[in-house]
Amino acid sequence: GLVLSTTAFGRAADLGIAGGLSRFVARSLGEGDAVKAVSYMRTGVSFMAVAMGVVVLLLWWPLWWSLDFALDGSELAAGRSVLPWAILSIWLLMVKTALDSCLLGVHRADLRSIAGMTGMGFQLVASLALMGSFGLHGLAWAQAGQFALAIGLEVVFLLTVARVQVVRGGGRWFSRKAFTEMLGFGVTLQLGSLANLLFDPLTKSV
């Protein structure tokens, strides 16, 4: 629940990069420029990994403190003991959204679904296996494992089945130009979503 409740904030904090990444990858491939497509992928994934790492670290103390209002006694202690795993799961989930966009950009939504379903299957099996001995910690480990497995599969799929070629000769992992392009589109996308969220109830009431 903690992961789900903070994911929306994380998606707002990513400045729309993950949402627009697939568009730039698909456009570059359509233009026959695979090197540029890989540059967008690397930049998007790198940004998400670093930026969301900062975001979840900033969320650490507010989440730790807010548990006081919802829990007490042994439940509070248990909640705080699994908080590091919940934070890790949030970070892994946000990195996965960037890789999801990469697979969408190469027109392999099927591979994204396979990775996601495999991760969910792992979580189910791991939860059943660990919950009896480790309780809440077992569930937290299973959830983090779900996203880690899905990320690993998506990287493998991009490099093999989707045949995304690794740029040889020391290609950079972050391109300022690619980031600027994606940022401009992403912010516009976020503002459009925000405006729709604000004005939709108003238009329906008129």
Side-chain angles (χ1 to χ4, degrees):
L2 182 60
V3 173
L4 293 176
S5 64
T6 53
T7 297
F9 177 79
R11 286 180 177 168
D14 79 353
L15 303 176
I17 297 294
L21 179 56
S22 60
R23 175 182 182 272
F24 289 93
V25 172
R27 187 186 68 183
S28 298
L29 292 176
E31 295 171 350
D33 194 343
V35 172
K36 191 175 182 180
V38 172
S39 178
Y40 282 122
M41 291 184 198
R42 287 182 165 184
T43 300
V45 173
S46 298
F47 170 78
M48 289 294 289
V50 174
M52 293 304 102
V54 172
V55 168
V56 295
L57 288 176
L58 292 175
L59 285 173
W60 180 286
W61 284 113
L63 290 174
W64 178 280
W65 176 72
S66 65
L67 289 175
D68 272 327
F69 294 94
L71 305 170
D72 56 22
S74 60
E75 291 181 350
L76 176 60
R80 284 178 169 171
S81 69
V82 299
L83 182 59
W85 295 101
I87 291 291
L88 175 62
S89 291
I90 295 168
W91 181 76
L92 290 171
L93 176 59
M94 299 311 298
V95 172
K96 180 181 176 297
T97 61
L99 290 168
D100 287 345
S101 290
C102 292
L103 285 171
L104 287 176
V106 298
H107 310 296
R108 295 309 303 261
D110 58 325
L111 298 179
R112 181 191 66 168
S113 298
I114 290 171
M117 289 188 293
T118 302
M120 287 188 286
F122 171 83
Q123 182 190 24
L124 176 61
V125 173
S127 295
L128 293 174
L130 296 172
M131 187 169 57
S133 300
F134 300 99
L136 192 59
H137 282 87
L139 294 176
W141 298 339
Q143 186 170 55
Q146 170 195 354
F147 298 131
L149 176 59
I151 286 172
L153 286 174
E154 289 186 344
V155 170
V156 171
F157 287 155
L158 283 168
L159 295 175
T160 56
V161 183
R163 297 181 180 179
V164 173
Q165 299 298 313
V166 177
V167 179
R168 299 185 182 279
R172 291 182 299 170
W173 274 92
F174 187 86
S175 165
R176 182 178 298 178
K177 181 180 178 182
F179 176 71
T180 302
E181 289 182 66
M182 290 191 291
L183 181 63
F185 177 80
V187 170
T188 302
L189 192 68
Q190 293 285 64
L191 290 175
S193 299
L194 180 60
N196 183 63
L197 204 65
L198 292 174
F199 292 110
D200 187 56
L202 180 62
T203 55
K204 287 182 178 178
S205 65
V206 174

